[in-house]
Amino acid sequence: MAAQESNSIIIDSSQSSEEKDAALINELPSALFWDAMEIRKWKGFWFEPGLIKCAMKFSSSFQAGNDDVLLASAPKTGTTWLKALCLCILHQNHNIPENEDLLTQDNPQFHVQTIESSIYSTKPTPDLYSTPSPRLLHTHLPFNLLPNSIMNSNCKIVCVARNPKDTLVSLWHFFNSIFRGNQEPYPLEKAVDEFCTGVHQYGPYFENVLGYWSESQKRTEKILFLKYEEMIKDPKEQVRKLGLFLGKPFEKEEDLEKIVWRCSLERLRNLEVNKNGSVIYGVPNGSYFRKGIVGDWKNYLNLEMEDRINQTTLLKFKDSGLEFEN
Ligand code: PAP
């Protein structure tokens, strides 16, 4: 079947349905995310209202193709890295010279867009027809908000997750750099508290991660669940697993090594395209690369904050079998 047919998206963009959505969003519980933006609680998760509108469209109308690959991640858990890796694996990147690969041309966030915040917010009726198959897409949305067509098709999902304390610290740095400018950083105690109660963009983090984890335990052929810490510890092994899952196993060790290097933080951070001030989603390309280590939280969280997150994690992940190194 032609890509154009299999990738069709039907959206009811009539005024009345938009008005209905807007009215519904206005009724939702509201809070302020780190003094910067209004967020509202929809189906158990917090988002800024514009995102809810896009998520509603995505959930109700997106038609997944059988060979689509959907990447999923709570914010700051390794999205950029996963985008780069899957892009390279699916494009057999090791077969082209290093200075010609897609990553030298633009940030991974540009090549693999976050569907609800980019594709659906830039155009009311997104045109994914031109995207060649297999489509590689990304979402920060939790599992329970995914469109039915994703679950009912053969489309694969790769989720990356990261320990909560590093996730929070990464989010806090990113947030301060984008929203606080020359102001003092947002008070970390408050950020910890709101992270634990789940009142932040795409939060609660815990439920977001758990949704994918639980499903990955039931449907191993459908969802691959990667942990950032394991990718840092043994990138070759994790990328080998990823290649296999995507149906692109590495035949030669050197091909695998090439891709691990091409997607490394060290290389991406130093590419001209990530240093020259280019912007995606209003964010400089370079902001997606900071330290990329495990345990950076130790440099920021005091004992009380550490304990608060540990207790919340224990409670939330209890009996799930999900654990992170940190
Ligand atoms: P997003 O949710 O806004 O897309 P995401 O890419 O998930 O961001 O998270 C950014 C984190 O991944 C940063 O972590 P840090 O703040 O603890 O340093 C960033 O440094 C890290 N990161 C980005 N690219 C890579 C990479 N290629 N390898 C390892 N870590 C990376």
Side-chain angles (χ1 to χ4, degrees):
M1 194 187 285
Q4 188 150 342
E5 287 163 344
S6 64
N7 292 343
S8 66
I9 285 171
I10 304 158
I11 287 175
D12 177 6
S13 58
S14 75
Q15 189 64 16
S16 65
S17 92
E18 289 204 351
E19 276 173 3
K20 259 198 243 160
D21 288 351
L24 193 151
I25 293 168
N26 269 335
E27 294 297 310
L28 298 172
S30 142
L32 198 57
F33 170 44
W34 296 4
D35 284 350
M37 67 171 86
E38 187 204 14
I39 49 176
R40 287 182 180 259
K41 195 176 191 182
W42 180 56
K43 299 197 174 179
F45 291 86
W46 292 91
F47 313 93
E48 50 115 347
L51 261 186
I52 301 180
K53 226 166 101 189
C54 300
M56 282 173 163
K57 269 188 217 155
F58 177 49
S59 289
S60 62
S61 61
F62 178 79
Q63 292 302 315
N66 283 328
D67 53 5
D68 285 347
V69 175
L70 180 74
L71 311 183
S73 58
K76 301 298 150 197
T77 57
T79 317
T80 317
W81 196 5
L82 184 64
K83 286 182 175 184
L85 285 167
C86 292
L87 190 71
C88 287
I89 293 173
L90 291 175
H91 284 254
Q92 300 281 288
N93 174 289
H94 51 267
N95 290 326
I96 51 171
E98 185 171 343
N99 62 358
E100 287 173 20
D101 82 357
L102 283 173
L103 300 177
T104 61
Q105 292 160 31
D106 220 318
N107 187 282
Q109 300 278 356
F110 168 81
H111 291 297
V112 188
Q113 302 215 351
T114 296
I115 194 157
E116 70 280 4
S117 59
S118 58
I119 301 176
Y120 278 91
S121 63
T122 50
K123 289 182 194 170
T125 310
D127 176 13
L128 297 179
Y129 300 152
S130 52
T131 307
S133 180
R135 290 184 301 184
L136 183 56
L137 304 162
H138 168 260
T139 186
H140 280 314
L141 292 174
F143 181 78
N144 70 320
L145 296 185
L146 295 185
N148 287 339
S149 67
I150 288 185
M151 293 322 293
N152 299 336
S153 67
N154 288 332
C155 135
K156 291 192 171 187
I157 301 175
V158 183
C159 172
V160 63
R162 185 181 194 184
N163 82 69
K165 296 195 285 283
D166 281 331
T167 301
L168 180 263
V169 166
S170 182
L171 180 65
W172 180 70
H173 278 285
F174 181 78
F175 177 91
N176 287 328
S177 73
I178 304 302
F179 291 102
R180 307 280 293 185
N182 295 328
Q183 291 176 67
E184 288 284 293
Y186 186 72
L188 190 51
E189 315 73 54
K190 285 177 80 180
V192 167
D193 183 58
E194 284 147 356
F195 187 75
C196 289
T197 53
V199 186
H200 57 91
Q201 176 85 304
Y202 288 105
Y205 151 93
F206 300 95
E207 276 78 3
N208 195 325
V209 170
L210 267 180
Y212 287 97
W213 168 255
S214 308
E215 198 62 21
S216 74
Q217 299 305 289
K218 293 181 219 147
R219 294 182 69 182
T220 46
E221 78 303 337
K222 175 85 179 171
I223 306 188
L224 177 67
F225 190 95
L226 297 173
K227 295 181 184 171
Y228 184 87
E229 294 73 21
E230 290 177 357
M231 291 168 69
I232 290 282
K233 198 173 182 180
D234 192 349
K236 268 173 64 179
E237 217 28 62
Q238 296 306 308
V239 176
R240 198 192 308 278
K241 201 179 357 172
L242 183 56
L244 209 56
F245 181 76
L246 294 175
K248 304 275 182 193
F250 288 94
E251 276 154 25
K252 290 196 231 140
E253 204 63 8
E254 63 180 274
D255 294 343
L256 170 63
E257 283 163 5
K258 238 186 235 176
I259 285 188
V260 168
W261 157 245
R262 289 185 182 186
C263 298
S264 65
L265 179 67
E266 191 190 346
R267 172 171 183 255
L268 296 183
R269 192 212 312 271
N270 289 310
L271 288 175
E272 195 46 43
V273 70
N274 294 321
K275 293 199 297 185
N276 68 8
S278 296
V279 164
I280 181 159
Y281 309 144
V283 170
N285 283 355
S287 307
Y288 292 100
F289 311 102
R290 199 179 61 91
K291 287 190 190 167
I293 58 170
V294 178
D296 188 38
W297 61 267
K298 292 175 188 148
N299 297 314
Y300 298 93
L301 304 183
N302 63 27
L303 271 177
E304 204 179 313
M305 297 173 191
E306 180 190 346
D307 193 50
R308 176 88 204 276
I309 302 181
N310 286 349
Q311 294 305 324
T312 309
T313 308
L314 269 178
L315 197 71
K316 297 280 188 178
F317 291 171
K318 187 169 163 265
D319 299 330
S320 70
L322 178 58
E323 285 178 359
F324 290 101
E325 280 177 36
N326 59 79

